[in-house]
Amino acid sequence: MLGRGLDGEGWIAREGALSRVPVAFAGVVDAARARIAESFDCRRLHSAYIYGSIPRGTAIPGLSDLDLLLALHGEPTEADRAAATRIEQDLDRSFTQIDGVGVLLFSARTLLSELERHDLGFFVACLCTPLLGDDLADQLPRYRPTPLLARETNGDLPLALRGWRRQAAEATTDQQRKALSRLVARRIVRTGFTLVMPRWGGWTSDLTQSAEAFGLHYPERAEQMRRAAVIGRTPSPVPGVLRELIDDLGPWLAVEYAVVHGEKAVRH
């Protein structure tokens, strides 16, 4: 892989691999594979993937979370969601190395759809590492850091902001505020990065690098974005942190994003 996350032909390279999983997390990954196989048989599960800092090789024991994606042969059901929740809870209880587990569920049809080609399709092809089953990336195109990719991955920030404001108002514990601050900060930093991605000319999921790339083009907001990158790694329960992200940096970013890239295609 050459610099800035591209291969020798200028395509965005797949960023993770099982060979990059840190030794401290090897047992977590093995257990995740086993739990998924136990909970979803081959008639239901098309394939499973791991994404985030663990397959990128940058996970920190005790701080990093475990992120999984399951592609199903049909649309997810309530039974599927209940099984995914049990996997989340079981793994989170069993391993002190991880701070939280998230399992995403989608049908393979949705992941391969034309509507999702530059959002979920890109996510699978470039940001997810195969764990079980046939890799859907074989049926997806290659990607470059284009304005189209920017619009379709993160052009819906206003919708996210509305949900975050509601969650922030309902958060009553430090743990709830910490979890929300991590979620919001990561999304804002990655949206800030994709805002400048076509000009930067590459791809990264690293929060620090994302914030620095953003700051090259928006120096007046650079320090705010650096703070958001820190919160994305070490979340905070301080209400003022959420206010800065949701009521200041986030709304500004949403407006600028719409001006530069337009709005994401509507999902129904």
Side-chain angles (χ1 to χ4, degrees), residues 3-262:
R4 300 203 172 185
L6 305 180
D7 66 15
E9 298 177 340
W11 302 105
I12 296 173
R14 201 171 212 168
E15 63 178 17
L18 293 181
S19 61
R20 296 180 194 153
V21 173
V23 173
F25 293 91
V28 179
V29 174
D30 289 342
R33 184 188 292 107
R35 302 291 198 284
I36 293 167
E38 291 166 2
S39 302
F40 294 87
D41 62 29
C42 61
R43 292 170 298 178
R44 193 72 192 127
L45 181 71
H46 176 280
S47 47
Y49 307 81
I50 182 172
Y51 65 96
S53 62
I54 292 178
R56 291 200 304 269
T58 59
I60 301 171
L63 292 179
S64 298
D65 53 353
L66 172 66
D67 298 308
L68 301 165
L69 166 70
L70 307 187
L72 305 178
H73 286 296
E75 295 302 320
T77 65
E78 287 306 312
D80 294 326
R81 294 187 182 92
T85 298
R86 288 193 294 271
I87 292 172
E88 292 172 342
Q89 294 172 343
D90 184 28
L91 291 172
D92 197 25
R93 282 195 303 263
S94 300
F95 295 94
T96 59
Q97 299 96 310
I98 50 176
D99 181 20
V101 180
V103 179
L104 298 178
L105 297 174
F106 292 100
S107 68
R109 182 171 65 91
T110 294
L111 295 171
L112 294 174
S113 68
E114 186 63 32
L115 181 63
E116 296 294 346
R117 185 60 48 87
H118 287 84
D119 188 11
L120 290 175
F122 164 74
F123 177 62
V124 170
C126 295
L127 308 187
C128 288
T129 297
L131 198 58
L132 284 167
D134 295 330
D135 187 4
L136 286 173
D138 294 338
Q139 302 178 58
L140 290 162
R142 302 178 79 185
Y143 297 86
R144 297 190 189 275
T146 62
L148 172 61
L149 185 63
R151 185 181 74 237
E152 290 305 302
T153 51
N154 286 299
D156 58 350
L157 188 57
L159 182 63
L161 284 166
R162 288 196 291 272
W164 294 337
R165 288 191 184 101
R166 183 179 62 254
Q167 291 177 60
E170 295 172 352
T172 58
T173 68
D174 282 354
Q175 189 57 41
Q176 289 172 330
R177 283 187 287 269
K178 284 181 66 176
L180 184 58
S181 73
R182 176 162 63 180
L183 171 70
V184 172
R186 288 181 178 185
R187 174 66 186 277
I188 284 179
V189 173
R190 286 167 179 155
T191 300
F193 168 71
T194 52
L195 172 63
V196 305
M197 173 185 65
R199 287 178 281 175
W200 192 70
W203 176 269
T204 181
S205 288
D206 181 84
L207 294 177
T208 299
Q209 189 176 29
S210 295
E212 292 305 318
F214 168 86
L216 293 174
H217 300 279
Y218 293 93
E220 71 280 8
R221 292 276 181 170
E223 189 53 42
Q224 271 189 304
M225 195 62 77
R226 291 189 189 101
R227 288 199 297 271
V230 171
I231 296 302
R233 294 189 302 274
T234 54
S236 170
V238 178
V241 168
L242 279 173
R243 283 196 297 270
E244 180 181 14
L245 293 170
I246 297 173
D247 297 330
D248 183 12
L249 182 56
W252 171 85
L253 183 58
V255 171
E256 183 68 9
Y257 213 95
V259 170
V260 175
H261 294 307

